[in-house]
């Protein structure tokens, strides 16, 4: 991804509705290159919808504007370019069950980047080692634990060498004992300079890795600041009441 002079991601007046129900209200957000942003908030607050709009997995209001590295996110030829540069890790892994772990990671670089099978395999094995599951390369997803499958999904996203990684509550479908292994991989990634936007309910993780924390409620961006500002001295009462509820749970 080219070096940008302004924000890597710019969102202006982002609105999204399902029929008469408005999910996102006038969201304005800039994300700098290399920044790690964690989005927190109650269920149904629009967090996942927000990040799914960034690569147009969710369509949004025509008068809204999202740009990624200067390219406007909209249906058309440019959208493939955006999606090639924006990796996404979902809650439910979304791996191809009929392919080995290795093939899952190799597929997109071969299809989209036109990488040779040899180059794609070398890169895939490097990435599987990086996320700590190189010994699982020849297995199928159904033979892996949830935590291992999510690490494969992270390796698959990294295989496209994206400039931005989006994480949609990547630990929410995992058994509690598997959460730590995925968060450890993400902590290491956060130190590599890749731009990351993470929807998470893991407050300790957000405090530790984020450059900036955003609190959303009812489709609105309520408050944003450093982890210390949000967790230790939030300005808004709605932020305070949410954190009281989740941190004292």
């Amino acid at each position: 991804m080219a070096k940008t002079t302004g924000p890597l991601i710019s969102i202006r007046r982002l609105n999204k509705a399902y029929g008469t129900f408005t999910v996102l209200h006038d969201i304005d957000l800039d994300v700098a290159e290399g920044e790690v942003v964690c989005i927190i908030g109650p269920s149904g607050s629009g967090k996942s919808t927000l990040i799914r709009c960034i690569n147009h997995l969710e369509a949004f209001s025509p008068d809204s504007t999202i740009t990624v590295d200067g390219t406007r996110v909209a249906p058309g030829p440019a959208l493939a370019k955006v999606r090639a540069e924006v990796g996404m890790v979902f809650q439910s892994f979304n791996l191809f069950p009929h392919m080995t772990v290795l093939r899952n990671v190799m597929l997109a670089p071969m299809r989209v980047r036109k990488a040779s099978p040899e180059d794609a395999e070398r890169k895939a094995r490097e990435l599987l080692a990086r996320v700590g599951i190189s010994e699982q390369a020849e297995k199928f997803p159904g033979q892996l634990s949830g935590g291992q499958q999510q690490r494969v999904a992270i390796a698959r996203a990294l295989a496209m060498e994206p400039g931005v990684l989006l994480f949609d509550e990547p630990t929410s479908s995992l058994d509690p004992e598997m959460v730590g292994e995925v968060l450890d991989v993400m902590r290491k990634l956060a130190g590599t300079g890749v731009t990351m936007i993470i929807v998470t309910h893991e407050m300790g993780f957000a405090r530790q890795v984020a450059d900036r924390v955003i609190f959303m409620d009812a489709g609105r961006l309520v408050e944003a600041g450093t982890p210390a500002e949000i967790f230790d001295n939030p300005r808004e009462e709605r932020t305070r009441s949410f954190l009281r509820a989740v941190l004292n749970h």
Side-chain angles (χ1 to χ4, degrees):
M1 185 168 277
K3 292 285 182 183
T4 61
T5 51
L8 186 61
I9 299 170
S10 181
I11 299 172
R12 291 291 176 271
R13 303 179 310 282
L14 179 59
N15 291 284
K16 165 72 180 175
Y18 295 109
T20 58
F21 177 63
T22 301
V23 188
L24 297 173
H25 299 264
D26 283 330
I27 301 287
D28 286 339
L29 177 64
D30 287 334
V31 178
E33 187 169 12
E35 190 175 17
V36 178
V37 175
C38 285
I39 305 176
I40 64 171
S43 296
S45 60
K47 307 182 300 295
S48 293
T49 303
L50 169 59
I51 66 164
R52 289 172 67 88
C53 286
I54 293 172
N55 56 4
H56 213 272
L57 290 179
E58 294 279 358
F60 45 86
S61 173
D63 59 352
S64 304
T65 305
I66 300 177
T67 59
V68 177
D69 197 20
T71 300
R72 184 163 180 167
V73 178
L79 187 56
K81 177 186 172 188
V82 170
R83 287 179 172 167
E85 300 294 350
V86 179
M88 186 147 188
V89 178
F90 300 88
Q91 296 179 32
S92 53
F93 324 137
N94 289 5
L95 301 173
F96 293 112
H98 63 288
M99 291 184 180
T100 64
V101 164
L102 185 65
R103 293 294 297 179
N104 264 279
V105 180
M106 290 171 59
L107 184 64
M110 290 169 57
R111 288 268 181 90
V112 181
R113 302 279 195 210
K114 308 304 180 188
S116 70
E118 296 77 16
D119 286 346
E121 179 174 348
R122 178 183 49 76
K123 180 74 172 178
R125 290 190 184 278
E126 287 173 4
L127 289 170
L128 290 172
R130 184 171 167 187
V131 299
I133 50 170
S134 54
E135 72 285 358
Q136 310 294 344
E138 306 306 329
K139 291 185 178 178
F140 290 90
Q143 298 174 285
L144 273 55
S145 71
Q148 289 171 327
Q149 289 187 62
Q150 193 60 292
R151 285 189 277 165
V152 175
I154 292 171
R156 181 182 60 183
L158 288 169
M160 287 291 287
E161 300 181 348
V164 181
L165 275 175
L166 308 176
F167 293 84
D168 185 7
E169 300 207 37
T171 60
S172 65
S173 63
L174 299 180
D175 292 334
E177 66 268 23
M178 296 175 185
V179 169
E181 66 186 58
V182 173
L183 294 181
D184 283 345
V185 170
M186 292 172 64
R187 280 188 192 95
K188 290 172 185 168
L189 277 179
T192 65
V194 65
T195 308
M196 298 168 66
I197 305 178
I198 306 162
V199 173
T200 185
H201 57 276
E202 301 288 343
M203 299 299 138
F205 171 77
R207 180 191 282 269
Q208 184 180 25
V209 306
D211 298 307
R212 188 161 39 128
V213 176
I214 290 167
F215 173 66
M216 288 183 66
D217 185 45
R220 289 183 165 84
L221 200 161
V222 176
E223 185 167 358
T226 65
E229 288 168 342
I230 297 299
F231 289 110
D232 299 334
N233 193 28
R235 299 185 306 274
E236 302 294 332
E237 175 53 35
R238 181 65 190 97
T239 314
R240 290 194 288 271
S241 65
F242 170 78
L243 290 173
R244 279 197 299 271
V246 297
L247 296 177
N248 295 331
H249 182 63

